[in-house]
Amino acid sequence: ETGVTQSPTHLIKTRGQQVTLRCSSQSGHNTVSWYQQALGQGPQFIFQYYREEENGRGNFPPRFSGLQFPNYSSELNVNALELDDSALYLCASSLPGTNIDTQYFGPGTRLTVL
Amino acid sequence: RKEVEQDPGPFNVPEGATVAFNCTYSNSASQSFFWYRQDCRKEPKLLMSVYSSGNEDGRFTAQLNRASQYISLLIRDSKLSDSATYLCVVNPGYKLSFGAGTTVTVRA
Protein backbone atom coordinates (compact mmCIF):
# COMPACT_ATOMS: atom_id res chain seq x y z
CA GLU A 1 0.00 0.00 0.00
CA THR A 2 0.88 3.69 -0.15
CA GLY A 3 1.86 4.15 3.48
CA VAL A 4 -0.54 7.10 3.78
CA THR A 5 -3.17 6.76 6.48
CA GLN A 6 -6.21 8.88 7.26
CA SER A 7 -8.51 9.10 10.25
CA PRO A 8 -11.30 8.72 10.92
CA THR A 9 -12.59 6.43 8.19
CA HIS A 10 -16.13 7.72 8.46
CA LEU A 11 -17.65 10.69 10.21
CA ILE A 12 -21.14 12.10 10.63
CA LYS A 13 -21.64 15.74 11.58
CA THR A 14 -24.49 18.22 11.54
CA ARG A 15 -24.70 21.56 9.76
CA GLY A 16 -22.76 24.32 11.47
CA GLN A 17 -20.37 22.01 13.28
CA GLN A 18 -16.61 21.94 12.82
CA VAL A 19 -14.55 18.91 11.82
CA THR A 20 -10.87 17.98 11.79
CA LEU A 21 -9.60 15.26 9.49
CA ARG A 22 -6.13 13.79 9.85
CA CYS A 23 -3.56 12.39 7.48
CA SER A 24 -0.27 10.70 8.16
CA SER A 25 2.17 10.69 5.26
CA GLN A 26 5.15 8.53 4.49
CA SER A 27 8.29 9.59 6.26
CA GLY A 28 10.18 12.12 4.15
CA HIS A 29 7.14 13.16 2.10
CA ASN A 30 7.15 16.86 2.82
CA THR A 31 4.36 17.81 0.42
CA VAL A 32 0.74 16.95 1.17
CA SER A 33 -2.34 17.80 -0.86
CA TRP A 34 -5.97 17.54 0.17
CA TYR A 35 -8.84 16.81 -2.19
CA GLN A 36 -12.63 16.72 -1.87
CA GLN A 37 -14.52 14.13 -3.90
CA ALA A 38 -18.28 14.53 -4.03
CA LEU A 39 -20.40 11.62 -5.16
CA GLY A 40 -20.10 11.07 -8.91
CA GLN A 41 -17.33 13.63 -9.29
CA GLY A 42 -13.58 13.53 -9.54
CA PRO A 43 -11.43 14.72 -6.66
CA GLN A 44 -11.20 18.52 -6.43
CA PHE A 45 -8.00 20.14 -5.17
CA ILE A 46 -8.46 21.96 -1.85
CA PHE A 47 -4.89 22.99 -0.99
CA GLN A 48 -1.34 21.82 -0.73
CA TYR A 49 1.23 22.17 2.04
CA TYR A 50 4.97 22.07 1.56
CA ARG A 51 7.29 22.20 4.54
CA GLU A 52 4.43 23.31 6.79
CA GLU A 53 3.42 26.27 4.58
CA GLU A 54 0.39 26.48 2.30
CA ASN A 55 1.74 26.19 -1.22
CA GLY A 56 -1.37 26.51 -3.36
CA ARG A 57 -5.12 26.56 -2.95
CA GLY A 58 -8.08 25.55 -5.03
CA ASN A 59 -11.48 27.21 -5.22
CA PHE A 60 -12.56 26.55 -1.64
CA PRO A 61 -13.70 29.13 0.93
CA PRO A 62 -11.56 30.13 3.93
CA ARG A 63 -13.57 27.91 6.26
CA PHE A 64 -11.44 25.11 4.79
CA SER A 65 -8.05 25.37 6.46
CA GLY A 66 -5.12 23.11 7.07
CA LEU A 67 -1.98 22.45 8.99
CA GLN A 68 1.09 20.37 8.31
CA PHE A 69 3.38 19.22 11.10
CA PRO A 70 7.11 18.40 11.16
CA ASN A 71 6.35 14.70 11.61
CA TYR A 72 4.72 14.59 8.12
CA SER A 73 1.20 14.49 9.50
CA SER A 74 -1.39 17.03 8.48
CA GLU A 75 -4.92 18.17 9.23
CA LEU A 76 -7.85 19.50 7.26
CA ASN A 77 -10.24 21.64 9.27
CA VAL A 78 -13.67 22.63 8.06
CA ASN A 79 -15.73 25.16 9.99
CA ALA A 80 -19.44 25.89 9.75
CA LEU A 81 -20.20 22.65 7.93
CA GLU A 82 -22.72 22.74 5.10
CA LEU A 83 -24.69 19.88 3.59
CA ASP A 84 -22.61 20.16 0.38
CA ASP A 85 -19.48 19.40 2.38
CA SER A 86 -20.57 15.76 2.44
CA ALA A 87 -17.87 14.00 0.45
CA LEU A 88 -14.84 11.73 0.50
CA TYR A 89 -11.79 13.70 1.64
CA LEU A 90 -8.48 12.43 0.34
CA CYS A 91 -4.98 13.39 1.27
CA ALA A 92 -2.03 12.64 -0.94
CA SER A 93 1.64 12.91 -0.14
CA SER A 94 4.48 13.49 -2.54
CA LEU A 95 8.16 12.74 -2.68
CA PRO A 96 10.55 15.41 -1.40
CA GLY A 97 10.71 18.57 -3.42
CA THR A 98 7.95 20.30 -5.32
CA ASN A 99 7.33 17.64 -7.94
CA ILE A 100 3.83 16.50 -7.13
CA ASP A 101 3.47 14.16 -10.06
CA THR A 102 3.96 11.07 -7.95
CA GLN A 103 1.22 11.33 -5.35
CA TYR A 104 0.35 8.63 -2.87
CA PHE A 105 -3.27 8.73 -1.80
CA GLY A 106 -4.64 7.71 1.55
CA PRO A 107 -7.87 5.70 1.80
CA GLY A 108 -9.91 8.82 2.53
CA THR A 109 -12.35 9.99 5.18
CA ARG A 110 -16.02 9.85 4.25
CA LEU A 111 -17.79 12.84 5.81
CA THR A 112 -21.57 13.02 5.98
CA VAL A 113 -23.17 16.31 7.01
CA LEU A 114 -26.80 16.07 8.12
CA ARG B 1 -15.28 25.34 -18.62
CA LYS B 2 -14.03 22.39 -16.57
CA GLU B 3 -10.28 21.80 -16.52
CA VAL B 4 -10.68 18.15 -17.47
CA GLU B 5 -13.74 16.69 -19.19
CA GLN B 6 -14.50 13.02 -19.66
CA ASP B 7 -17.26 10.95 -21.14
CA PRO B 8 -18.89 9.54 -17.98
CA GLY B 9 -20.02 6.34 -19.71
CA PRO B 10 -20.90 3.86 -18.46
CA PHE B 11 -19.17 1.54 -20.88
CA ASN B 12 -20.60 -1.93 -20.46
CA VAL B 13 -18.47 -4.47 -22.32
CA PRO B 14 -18.10 -8.28 -22.42
CA GLU B 15 -14.95 -9.98 -21.22
CA GLY B 16 -12.30 -10.00 -23.90
CA ALA B 17 -13.59 -6.88 -25.63
CA THR B 18 -11.62 -3.72 -26.34
CA VAL B 19 -12.86 -0.49 -24.84
CA ALA B 20 -11.54 3.01 -25.42
CA PHE B 21 -12.43 6.39 -24.06
CA ASN B 22 -11.09 9.92 -24.01
CA CYS B 23 -10.76 13.10 -22.12
CA THR B 24 -9.96 16.69 -23.01
CA TYR B 25 -8.18 19.31 -20.94
CA SER B 26 -8.36 23.07 -21.08
CA ASN B 27 -4.97 24.27 -19.85
CA SER B 28 -2.51 24.13 -22.71
CA ALA B 29 0.37 24.71 -20.25
CA SER B 30 -0.31 21.38 -18.53
CA GLN B 31 2.89 19.49 -17.99
CA SER B 32 2.03 15.90 -17.23
CA PHE B 33 -0.85 13.54 -17.70
CA PHE B 34 -2.11 10.38 -16.07
CA TRP B 35 -4.84 7.82 -15.88
CA TYR B 36 -5.93 6.80 -12.40
CA ARG B 37 -8.23 3.95 -11.53
CA GLN B 38 -10.77 4.20 -8.73
CA ASP B 39 -12.74 1.29 -7.37
CA CYS B 40 -16.05 1.90 -5.65
CA ARG B 41 -15.60 3.87 -2.41
CA LYS B 42 -11.80 3.53 -2.55
CA GLU B 43 -8.98 5.99 -3.16
CA PRO B 44 -7.69 6.68 -6.69
CA LYS B 45 -4.66 4.66 -7.70
CA LEU B 46 -2.23 5.52 -10.47
CA LEU B 47 -2.78 3.32 -13.51
CA MET B 48 -0.24 4.88 -15.83
CA SER B 49 1.41 8.08 -16.91
CA VAL B 50 0.73 9.33 -20.42
CA TYR B 51 3.54 10.43 -22.70
CA SER B 52 3.43 12.35 -25.96
CA SER B 53 4.80 9.39 -27.86
CA GLY B 54 2.07 7.13 -26.51
CA ASN B 55 2.76 4.29 -24.14
CA GLU B 56 1.60 0.82 -23.27
CA ASP B 57 1.44 -1.07 -20.03
CA GLY B 58 0.29 -4.60 -20.70
CA ARG B 59 -3.28 -4.45 -21.99
CA PHE B 60 -3.51 -0.69 -21.47
CA THR B 61 -2.50 1.90 -24.08
CA ALA B 62 -2.52 5.64 -23.47
CA GLN B 63 -2.19 8.38 -26.04
CA LEU B 64 -1.69 12.12 -25.70
CA ASN B 65 -2.40 14.71 -28.35
CA ARG B 66 -1.08 18.05 -27.11
CA ALA B 67 -2.28 19.98 -30.16
CA SER B 68 -5.88 18.89 -29.57
CA GLN B 69 -5.48 18.72 -25.77
CA TYR B 70 -6.84 15.22 -25.81
CA ILE B 71 -5.90 12.05 -23.90
CA SER B 72 -7.12 8.54 -24.55
CA LEU B 73 -7.03 5.16 -22.84
CA LEU B 74 -7.58 1.84 -24.56
CA ILE B 75 -8.05 -1.44 -22.71
CA ARG B 76 -7.56 -4.63 -24.70
CA ASP B 77 -8.83 -8.09 -23.76
CA SER B 78 -10.96 -6.70 -20.92
CA LYS B 79 -11.07 -8.64 -17.66
CA LEU B 80 -13.78 -8.61 -15.02
CA SER B 81 -11.22 -6.99 -12.72
CA ASP B 82 -10.99 -3.99 -15.07
CA SER B 83 -14.43 -2.85 -13.88
CA ALA B 84 -13.78 0.51 -12.25
CA THR B 85 -13.96 4.25 -12.78
CA TYR B 86 -11.06 5.63 -14.78
CA LEU B 87 -10.01 9.17 -13.93
CA CYS B 88 -8.19 11.36 -16.41
CA VAL B 89 -5.70 13.53 -14.53
CA VAL B 90 -3.71 16.54 -15.66
CA ASN B 91 -1.00 18.44 -13.83
CA PRO B 92 -1.28 22.11 -14.82
CA GLY B 93 1.36 23.18 -12.31
CA TYR B 94 1.24 22.58 -8.59
CA LYS B 95 -1.81 20.34 -8.32
CA LEU B 96 -3.56 17.43 -9.98
CA SER B 97 -6.78 18.22 -11.86
CA PHE B 98 -9.12 15.26 -12.13
CA GLY B 99 -11.91 14.57 -14.55
CA ALA B 100 -15.18 13.21 -13.20
CA GLY B 101 -14.31 9.72 -14.38
CA THR B 102 -15.44 7.17 -16.95
CA THR B 103 -17.16 4.10 -15.56
CA VAL B 104 -16.32 0.77 -17.18
CA THR B 105 -18.18 -2.43 -16.36
CA VAL B 106 -16.88 -5.68 -17.79
CA ARG B 107 -19.44 -8.46 -17.81
CA ALA B 108 -18.88 -12.21 -17.98
Side-chain angles (χ1 to χ4, degrees):
Chain A
E1 296 301 333
T2 64
V4 180
T5 59
Q6 291 187 243
S7 63
T9 306
H10 297 86
L11 198 56
I12 298 174
K13 291 284 189 179
T14 57
R15 268 188 309 178
Q17 285 189 309
Q18 178 267 342
V19 68
T20 297
L21 309 182
R22 294 181 173 84
C23 171
S24 179
S25 305
Q26 288 190 37
S27 179
H29 283 205
N30 55 9
T31 302
V32 65
S33 303
W34 283 89
Y35 295 83
Q36 180 197 65
Q37 186 174 21
L39 197 61
Q41 301 297 316
Q44 298 298 306
F45 176 74
I46 303 174
F47 44 56
Q48 181 186 99
Y49 278 78
Y50 173 62
R51 293 184 175 177
E52 302 165 47
E53 298 279 338
E54 189 178 290
N55 188 42
R57 190 177 184 92
N59 189 26
F60 280 81
R63 60 188 184 84
F64 285 78
S65 63
L67 286 171
Q68 186 185 27
F69 303 101
N71 66 352
Y72 307 110
S73 66
S74 62
E75 291 181 353
L76 165 65
N77 298 288
V78 187
N79 293 323
L81 283 167
E82 301 177 0
L83 297 179
D84 285 349
D85 295 335
S86 295
L88 179 68
Y89 288 85
L90 297 157
C91 75
S93 71
S94 308
L95 292 168
T98 57
N99 174 13
I100 56 90
D101 276 4
T102 304
Q103 293 206 1
Y104 299 87
F105 280 87
T109 293
R110 192 164 297 279
L111 173 65
T112 301
V113 182
L114 302 176
Chain B
R1 183 183 173 186
K2 290 184 179 179
E3 292 182 75
V4 182
E5 300 210 48
Q6 292 185 247
D7 180 347
F11 289 80
N12 190 331
V13 301
E15 266 189 298
T18 296
V19 59
F21 42 88
N22 315 309
C23 81
T24 57
Y25 60 94
S26 60
N27 188 337
S28 59
S30 296
Q31 303 164 12
S32 45
F33 310 88
F34 312 91
W35 285 102
Y36 274 68
R37 170 196 170 120
Q38 187 171 30
D39 295 301
C40 189
R41 304 180 77 83
K42 300 282 191 179
E43 74 273 23
K45 293 185 177 177
L46 179 64
L47 179 66
M48 60 195 300
S49 300
V50 186
Y51 304 115
S52 296
S53 54
N55 49 298
E56 281 190 20
D57 184 358
R59 298 180 293 105
F60 297 84
T61 301
Q63 296 278 353
L64 167 64
N65 184 322
R66 284 186 183 268
S68 302
Q69 296 179 206
Y70 166 104
I71 306 163
S72 65
L73 181 67
L74 182 145
I75 307 174
R76 285 187 302 279
D77 187 23
S78 299
K79 312 291 185 192
L80 294 176
S81 57
D82 294 333
S83 297
T85 296
Y86 292 85
L87 299 164
C88 179
V89 184
V90 172
N91 176 2
Y94 60 87
K95 63 173 185 176
L96 296 183
S97 294
F98 287 79
T102 297
T103 299
V104 173
T105 302
V106 181
R107 62 183 189 276

